[in-house]
Amino acid sequence: MDVFRLTGPSQLRGVVDIRGAKNSVLKLMAASLLAVGRTTISNVPAILDVRIMVELLVRLGCSVDYDAEAGVVSIDVPELVGIQADYELVRAMRASISVLGPLTARMRSAHVALPGGDAIGSRGLDMHQAGLEALGATVHLDHGYFVAEAPEGLQGTEISLQFPSVGATENLVMAATLAHGVTTISNAAKEPEIVDICSMLVEMGARIDGIGTPDITVTGVSELRPVDHRTVGDRIVAGTYAFGAALSGGDVTVRGVGLDLMPNIAIKLRDAGATVDPLDGIELGDGTLGAGFRVRGADRPKAIRVATMPFPGFPTDLQPFVIALNSVAEGTGLLSENLFEARWRFVQEIARLGAKVRIDGNHALISGVEGLSGAEVEASDIRAGAGLVMAGLRAVGITEVSGIDHIERGYENFVTNLRSLGADIERVEKRDILTFE
Ligand code: EPU
């Protein structure tokens, strides 16, 4: 069992390159199933979740070339693909459910294991189910599998989502691209990753209007063609380093994601006393031109009040970093979580570093302290894990974060990047007392 061992305090200073968004690329890979032939996706981060999606596509019968260093994945999709996403894979990565829409649309049948409980709430599939049923599929549960069948193909329809669910919007848009007739989706999600997926679908020949708005219209076509597509930058990874700079009093230039993808994040960083400057038309790590920004943190951040909301609101995935920043800030901060009901396991862990957080329903009230003290803590999900590492930057002494496989699901080169930004962090092996020889 490996852990991340961090010796603090330290400040983040330097430049970090960010590649494509995990929450986009996994769905772009699923969308490739909609077209026979070779789809190539670039700006792919080298993370565990991409490997899991590669494995899923291979098991569905695709041949996949994945060059992690170059950040390129090429997927050869055959005429006939499998229809089953195994429990083993869905349990390892919930985003596996994004093959549901493409398989139902193209193969007219999908058997996708129900994801088990995630550490961040129940995360139902009711909107995915209701949407597919509205499109004419029959849906039932069979031995733990979500089974969708549409032997005659899907039929365009009107869908109104109760909540702008990211996953349901993506699955239903992908399904509707090959349906007969017109589908309208109202109260759709507007996240940059949704825009990226819709853009790739349009490049593939899909007819989609209202991309990036709550009202999406998809006019079905009979087939799509494979394409080459570059993944949008990861605004959550960018936000992670930005908060790391702000809470540690550092100075970090983030390349590969522009502030236009992070409107509310920049506002909150400035509220915390950081200086945030956009950098446009800069050379990125791979030599292409793109956007970025620079964050210079105050010596001690000021407490901020944040409510998580669907895009363009403040993203739920950055809430651990808000709590971490408020933990060492001047004053009392507030974080209201409006998307997931059980994202508080992080709070028990950061309390081990000396943070003072009180939970009341979906609100966390955080009283800033002068400094944290290093301790052993455990990551319960990707963002919680990265949040504990960032909090460790402000903790005196050694912070050891276990459960790092969660972090590696979503952050490429995390230790290497943090070391190049000046953090004293290493990955070390630790014997698990439950492992007997
Ligand atoms: N929901 C339902 N029924 C549904 C669908 C969603 O009740 O049919 C509820 C969920 O239980 C949850 C809320 O709606 O409370 C939001 O769910 P949503 O569908 O929007 O999220 P998701 O697609 O499951 C994606 C990201 C998450 C990110 C959320 C919100 C991926 C793979 N995951 O999840 O990212 O937090 O959108 O922005 O795209 C992460 O990267 O660490 C992560 C958890």
Side-chain angles (χ1 to χ4, degrees), residues 81-403:
V81 293
I83 53 165
Q84 172 149 321
D86 297 330
Y87 180 53
E88 192 193 349
L89 293 172
V90 183
R91 190 176 58 166
M93 186 185 71
R94 188 186 143 90
S96 307
I97 59 171
S98 53
V99 299
L100 186 58
L103 290 180
T104 313
R106 198 161 85 75
M107 303 316 296
R108 303 186 168 186
S109 177
H111 296 223
V112 176
L114 278 181
D118 203 297
I120 55 172
S122 65
R123 306 181 77 181
L125 288 180
D126 51 318
M127 286 182 257
H128 300 246
Q129 174 169 355
L132 286 174
E133 284 174 342
L135 284 162
T138 59
V139 174
H140 67 278
L141 272 188
D142 186 25
H143 296 286
Y145 279 74
F146 183 106
V147 177
E149 313 272 4
E152 308 299 324
L154 296 170
Q155 270 300 332
T157 186
E158 286 176 17
I159 298 170
S160 175
L161 297 178
Q162 294 151 17
F163 172 89
S165 155
V166 168
T169 301
E170 290 161 349
N171 251 327
L172 298 175
V173 169
M174 290 192 281
T177 56
L178 293 181
H180 303 290
V182 178
T183 301
T184 57
I185 305 174
S186 55
N187 202 21
K190 307 189 290 282
E191 271 66 6
E193 296 76 25
I194 305 263
V195 172
D196 195 27
I197 294 150
C198 289
S199 306
M200 178 167 123
L201 292 169
V202 168
E203 289 154 24
M204 292 170 83
R207 292 178 56 197
I208 310 177
D209 291 312
I211 297 172
T213 79
D215 295 295
I216 297 181
T217 304
V218 184
T219 305
V221 295
S222 57
E223 61 174 10
L224 296 175
R225 53 180 179 270
V227 287
D228 290 356
H229 182 86
R230 182 181 167 89
T231 316
V232 69
D234 197 317
R235 66 197 164 98
I236 305 299
V237 174
T240 298
Y241 290 105
F243 267 89
L247 72 80
S248 69
D251 179 352
V252 173
T253 295
V254 174
R255 299 191 299 204
V257 181
L259 288 181
D260 54 322
L261 298 187
M262 351 193 355
N264 270 285
I265 302 170
I267 291 171
K268 293 300 174 185
L269 289 167
R270 290 182 181 125
D271 288 351
T275 306
V276 185
D277 296 311
L279 300 169
D280 292 320
I282 52 167
E283 190 172 324
L284 307 181
D286 63 1
T288 59
L289 288 184
F293 61 92
R294 179 177 177 190
V295 179
R296 280 168 284 173
D299 286 344
R300 186 174 179 199
K302 293 196 215 98
I304 53 175
R305 300 166 79 91
V306 173
T308 65
M309 297 291 257
F311 191 82
F314 192 93
T316 174
D317 291 340
L318 289 181
Q319 66 113 300
F321 309 97
V322 173
I323 295 176
L325 179 139
N326 277 331
S327 294
V328 294
E330 211 181 302
T332 300
L334 179 70
L335 182 284
S336 302
E337 173 55 55
N338 295 311
L339 275 87
F340 292 113
E341 77 269 29
R343 217 166 186 176
W344 297 136
R345 274 172 64 177
F346 169 74
V347 167
Q348 295 160 15
E349 295 302 308
I350 196 173
R352 297 180 55 75
L353 300 176
K356 300 217 173 332
V357 187
R358 197 160 58 82
I359 302 294
D360 184 1
N362 67 323
H363 308 291
L365 197 67
I366 309 111
S367 310
V369 296
E370 287 274 342
L372 300 172
S373 61
E376 289 170 50
V377 288
E378 188 180 357
S380 54
D381 69 60
I382 307 177
R383 312 302 169 189
L388 290 166
V389 171
M390 292 302 168
L393 292 172
R394 205 72 204 218
V396 176
I398 295 178
T399 296
E400 254 181 27
V401 183
S402 59

Side-chain angles (χ1 to χ4, degrees), residues 52-74:
I52 297 174
M53 191 51 112
V54 167
E55 176 65 25
L56 172 53
L57 294 176
V58 167
R59 289 198 198 178
L60 290 175
C62 302
S63 47
V64 184
D65 289 330
Y66 174 37
D67 183 339
E69 203 180 324
V72 178
V73 57
S74 292

